[in-house]
Amino acid sequence: MDPTDTTGALTHGAYEISADPDRIDRARVHHWLSTDAYWALGRPRDRQDLAIDGSLNFAAYHRETGEIAAYARVVTDRATFAWLCDVYVDRPARGTGLGTALVTAVRDHLRPYGLRRILLATADAHGVYEKVGFETLSNPDKWMALGHQ
């Protein structure tokens, strides 16, 4: 995906992966994250909408029905750093490789920016991200956080 093209799409099996923010089913994404994603349980809809508005967004859609099947967003300055977050694959689409395809599309979309680092946090999907080239931090003791942990 060309980082200047927000409508370009890729395919994976029965799915189309797009960076077009206008296609996102915001209500569905909010439902997924606020009810089924351990990191976002209870997130209010207005906070989710603000997060979407301030991010690069990626989603996978079933090519026949147009229904959203997966979502990811990236917070970035488009120069040095990006944070991949809110990656979610709808339960019926899990196990199809869609999550790996979505994260690959995100990685490829960000590549032309020449970012120094793309980070993410996961409690249970290390294998998905390793397939795309992510590694655990070699010096996690250098990293710090401000806020709820």
Side-chain angles (χ1 to χ4, degrees):
M1 292 179 152
D2 175 352
T4 61
D5 175 12
T6 60
T7 61
L10 301 171
T11 60
H12 174 77
Y15 302 97
E16 173 187 23
I17 299 171
S18 173
D20 181 353
D22 295 330
R23 289 184 67 185
I24 297 168
D25 181 342
R26 289 171 176 244
R28 184 102 183 251
V29 168
H30 173 256
H31 175 75
W32 283 340
L33 297 177
S34 67
T35 65
D36 194 39
Y38 65 85
W39 65 90
L41 293 174
R43 182 183 291 167
R45 170 69 190 265
D46 64 326
R47 303 306 291 173
Q48 183 61 47
D49 284 342
L50 284 171
I52 288 171
D53 291 340
S55 303
L56 291 175
N57 298 275
F58 300 83
Y61 304 90
H62 196 281
R63 291 193 290 175
E64 288 183 18
T65 66
E67 187 173 310
I68 191 169
Y71 173 78
R73 72 182 179 92
V74 177
V75 180
T76 183
D77 59 12
R78 293 180 171 90
T80 62
F81 178 80
W83 178 264
L84 173 60
C85 53
D86 287 346
V87 178
Y88 186 92
V89 177
D90 196 12
R91 290 187 178 275
R94 292 181 187 176
T96 65
L98 185 57
T100 300
L102 180 63
V103 174
T104 299
V106 170
R107 180 200 64 198
D108 294 350
H109 183 96
L110 295 174
R111 184 172 282 133
Y113 292 133
L115 302 173
R116 177 180 167 104
R117 184 167 289 118
I118 301 170
L119 291 179
L120 64 86
T122 184
D124 58 359
H126 293 77
V128 170
Y129 299 107
E130 288 169 348
K131 291 177 189 175
V132 180
F134 283 87
E135 301 172 344
T136 57
L137 294 174
S138 58
N139 295 306
D141 54 317
K142 289 184 178 182
W143 293 89
M144 297 179 72
L146 177 65
H148 180 73
Q149 292 190 36

